[in-house]
Amino acid sequence: MTWFLYLAAGAALAVSAAASREKTKKALNKAWNSFLNVLPALAAMLFLVSISVALLPERVIASLIGEESGFFGQILASVIGSITLIPAFVAFPMAKVLMEHGAGAAQMAVFASTLMMVGVATAPLEASFFGWKATLFRNGMAYFYSFAVGYVVWLAVKAWM
Amino acid sequence: MDVRKALKRWRTAMASLFIAAVLSVAFPRAGREALSLLGMNVGTILGILPPVFVLLGLFDAWVPRERVAPHLGETSGLKGVILAILLGASSAGPLYIAFPVAEVMIRKGTSLRNAFIFLGAWSTMRVPMILFEIQNLGAIFALSRYGASLAGVLLMGAFMERVLGPKDREDILARFAEHRAG
C-alpha cells in the first residue's frame, strides 16, 4: 500500500511537471505547507494517545468506546467527534491505536464520521455562508446519519474481519 | 519561520510531550509501553504522509473547480451529481475551507443540491484520504465507511434541496454580497 502511494504520487508528479512547472511548484508548496501545519497536532495526539493507552487498562477503553459499550459508546464517540476539530490525518492513526487497545469499529466509525461531517465549532462560520436553517439541517442530518455509517462499518467488519 | 511563531505552533505538542513524560516517569512500565507505541506509529505515519500530501497538492492545483461550477446547475442531472462528487473528492483541506468554495460555486450556477453533495464529498470522500484510511484502519473499515458515506452524501443532498427553497438560495447569494462588501 505504501509503495503504491509513492508510485501514484511519483507518477502524478511527473505528469504534472511535464505539463506545467508553475502549477507543480504551487502544488508542492501547498503539500509542504499542509504537512507542516498538521505535524504539531499529529505529534500532540501521538504523545497523549500513546501514554493514555499505556496507562488505561484495555478494559476501561472497551467499557467506554468498545464494542460492548454499544449505543452509549457510540453517543460518546459522536459527541466527541462533533465538538472537536481534529484533522483526519490525526484522527485515523488515533482510531487505529484505540482500536488496537479495545475500541470498537462501530464507535470509531461514528467518531470519524461525525468528526468529518459535523462541526459544532465551525457552525457559526458555516451559517455566515449558508444561513442557520441550512447549517442546522446539514449538521443535524450528518449527525444522525453517522450512526448509520457506524452500523454499516460494524456489519462489514463483523462479516469480513 | 521565526522562532516565536514556531514555538507558538508547537505549544500544544510540547505540553503533551511534557505531560506524557511526567506520567512516564511516574509509571515507568506504562512509559516504556507508550514509548514503543510511539516508535511504532511515528515511522508508519511519517512514511505514508508525504505521498498523500503530494497528491492533495496536485489535485488542488489542477482541478478546475470554478470552470466546472456552471455545469452543476438545476438541469445537470446525473452528470452534475457525479461531477459534484468528483470535485469534492479531489479536494484538500478541512471542511470549513470548503464553505467559501461552495458559495462561489452556487454563485456560478451550481444547484443547491449539487453544492451540498460537493460539501459532503469534500468532508468524507477525499481520495488521498481514503488511501491513508485504508493504510491505518484496513480496507474493510475504510471502504465500508466510504460506501455508506456516499449513500449519505446523496441522500443529504436530495434532502437539503427539499428543505431549502428559492428564497434560501437568494439569501445565500445576498450573504455573498455582504461577504464581498465586508
Side-chain angles (χ1 to χ4, degrees):
Chain A
M1 189 67 203
T2 307
W3 66 264
F4 170 77
L5 269 173
Y6 274 92
L7 198 70
L13 203 56
V15 173
S16 171
S20 159
R21 292 246 144 166
E22 203 51 42
K23 277 195 170 180
T24 310
K25 226 174 171 176
K26 226 179 82 191
L28 284 179
N29 249 330
K30 165 119 193 173
W32 179 243
N33 283 331
S34 333
F35 183 61
L36 286 185
N37 271 331
V38 85
L39 270 187
L42 198 58
M45 180 281 288
L46 281 172
F47 294 144
L48 289 181
V49 169
S50 299
I51 191 69
S52 312
V53 159
L55 275 176
L56 292 174
E58 234 160 83
R59 178 155 54 72
V60 176
I61 297 173
S63 71
L64 284 174
I65 48 171
E67 198 174 328
E68 321 80 73
S69 72
F71 199 55
F72 165 77
Q74 293 188 28
I75 298 269
L76 184 67
S78 74
V79 170
I80 296 172
S82 301
I83 295 174
T84 51
L85 277 175
I86 306 174
F89 286 114
V90 177
F92 289 141
M94 179 172 148
K96 170 181 174 250
V97 176
L98 288 174
M99 268 168 77
E100 285 164 354
H101 291 83
Q107 284 75 12
M108 288 300 99
V110 171
F111 169 66
S113 201
T114 48
L115 191 63
M116 290 189 276
M117 290 201 288
V118 184
V120 172
T122 54
L125 180 73
E126 184 174 353
S128 79
F129 286 104
F130 305 114
W132 278 107
K133 183 177 164 195
T135 301
L136 290 178
F137 269 110
R138 196 196 66 76
N139 282 282
M141 276 192 284
Y143 181 81
F144 288 112
Y145 191 78
S146 295
F147 292 93
V149 172
Y151 184 64
V152 169
V153 170
W154 179 76
L155 282 180
V157 167
K158 211 170 168 62
W160 289 304
M161 262 165 90
Chain B
M1 199 198 314
D2 64 287
V3 179
R4 201 138 37 111
K5 230 162 135 189
L7 274 179
K8 198 173 164 202
R9 192 183 262 192
W10 282 87
R11 202 167 43 190
T12 319
M14 288 186 301
S16 311
L17 178 60
F18 179 73
I19 294 169
V22 168
L23 287 170
S24 297
V25 173
F27 305 92
R29 233 183 58 190
R32 269 196 301 277
E33 200 192 322
L35 200 63
S36 85
L37 260 173
L38 193 65
M40 249 159 41
N41 285 301
V42 166
T44 343
I45 293 168
L46 290 184
I48 15 178
L49 280 181
V52 171
F53 276 108
V54 166
L55 285 174
L56 280 172
L58 286 173
F59 274 140
D60 201 57
W62 284 102
V63 175
R65 259 184 235 125
E66 306 224 337
R67 252 192 301 146
V68 180
H71 302 291
L72 300 176
E74 305 290 347
T75 55
S76 60
L78 185 63
K79 198 188 83 188
V81 171
I82 292 173
L83 274 174
I85 290 176
L86 288 179
L87 279 189
S90 61
S91 65
L95 185 58
Y96 52 82
I97 296 181
F99 299 146
V101 178
E103 189 185 43
V104 171
M105 286 170 60
I106 292 173
R107 199 171 150 74
K108 295 210 165 176
T110 298
S111 70
L112 287 182
R113 184 192 60 190
N114 287 341
F116 281 101
I117 288 177
F118 165 79
L119 281 178
W122 179 305
S123 62
T124 60
M125 297 180 63
R126 274 176 286 163
V127 170
M129 208 61 109
I130 182 80
L131 299 173
F132 186 65
E133 186 179 356
I134 291 174
Q135 179 83 21
N136 275 292
L137 298 167
I140 291 167
F141 185 102
L143 294 177
S144 61
R145 194 198 59 74
Y146 203 77
S149 297
L150 170 61
V153 164
L154 295 175
L155 268 172
M156 284 187 254
F159 194 79
M160 289 304 282
E161 188 182 39
R162 284 274 165 92
V163 174
L164 302 175
K167 173 139 190 333
D168 293 292
R169 189 189 171 87
E170 271 166 36
D171 287 348
I172 290 171
L173 292 178
R175 257 183 230 102
F176 185 87
E178 272 170 43
H179 277 147
R180 265 290 151 84

